Amino acid sequence: MSQLQGKLAIVTGASRGIGRAIAHSLAQLGAHVILCARDTAKLHQLADELKSQGLSAENATCDVTRPQDWEALAAGIKQRHHGKLDILINNAGDGVFGKPLHETSLEDWTRTIDTNLKGVYLGIKTMAPLMIANGGGDIVNIASLAAKNPVKNGAAYAASKWGLNGLSVSAAEELREYNIRVSTVCPGSTATNLILDMRRANSKDADTSRMLQPSDIAHAVVTLVTQAPQSFISELLIRPTRKP
Ligand code: NAP
């Protein structure tokens, strides 16, 4: 229960869905978790819930597309935690579904790419220097099986996640010499708002009973951040056992 005791972790997109489950799992293993997202009220609620269970967390409102929000987060970590960041989970994500690329608005395209790709770039740009100074760390990027396959009526989302894969494997090569593992988790359909919106947009049944649960993705993240120091699992692909 205390494998991550004394570790400091950031989880983006912690206000709901997969990020919420990841935050919970890391806190249960003893980490102090900084909960990031835009919805301050939900972050407060989660921080209070974790603390009421004797776990350690704080909330930090952060829009991952805004460099100034990342800089404020880094300043807080330097001030209150002596810059000792161990784990960064880049989970925040957005997507627009239901329209072919040629009917996708520039606004939807930009929001998707900015959240899923620029947000991770900014996270690594801001936080990797802290990890380098500390002698190592773990960065886990939540991609998707959409990063491996075509996504009809979801090209912007697919492009962001294929791009995230390229970003991740390249940053991994850059950072491994600093004892930092950059890995990706590629979930299949997981029962959250995002997949339900996607299914509805494509007029597909939104039955969640066969889907992965957010806790399944959290389990994969825990596997990555609790590896022995010499081991580097660089990618995990997760499918529901039976097709939803
Ligand atoms: P979700 O329930 O819609 O949650 C998305 C999270 O991202 C929310 O906490 C949201 O918080 C946060 N977020 C969105 N834009 C943000 C921004 N600009 N700045 C900060 N936070 C932002 O979706 P989910 O399924 O849990 O998705 C989590 C990750 O898993 C995403 O990267 C998604 O692409 C990936 N994924 C999901 C599935 C699936 O089937 N569900 C499959 C593969 C991969 P706020 O709105 O409070 O900011």
Side-chain angles (χ1 to χ4, degrees), residues 12-20 36-40 42-43 62-66 90-95 111 114-116 142-146 157 161 164 185-198 211 214 217:
T12 71
S15 59
R16 59 175 190 264
I18 292 171
R20 192 177 200 282
C36 300
R38 294 163 303 179
D39 188 331
T40 308
K42 279 197 187 148
L43 294 180
C62 172
D63 180 335
V64 296
T65 68
R66 287 165 48 96
N90 287 309
N91 163 79
D94 208 337
R111 195 186 68 252
D114 278 4
T115 309
N116 300 356
I142 308 299
S144 172
L145 290 184
Y157 184 74
K161 295 297 186 176
L164 180 55
V185 174
C186 295
S189 299
T190 308
T192 68
N193 284 4
L194 187 135
I195 195 74
L196 297 181
D197 289 349
M198 177 186 185
M211 288 182 193
I217 316 310

Side-chain angles (χ1 to χ4, degrees), residues 8 32-36 43 47 51 56-60 76 80-81:
L8 181 66
H32 177 80
V33 184
I34 304 178
L35 311 165
C36 300
L43 294 180
K51 286 183 209 160
S56 184
E58 67 187 72
N59 51 295
R80 291 193 304 280
H81 302 283

Side-chain angles (χ1 to χ4, degrees), residues 96-97 99-113 156:
V96 55
F97 304 102
K99 284 184 184 169
L101 185 63
H102 64 275
E103 292 175 12
T104 298
S105 69
L106 180 59
E107 191 191 358
D108 283 344
W109 165 268
T110 303
R111 195 186 68 252
T112 303
I113 300 293

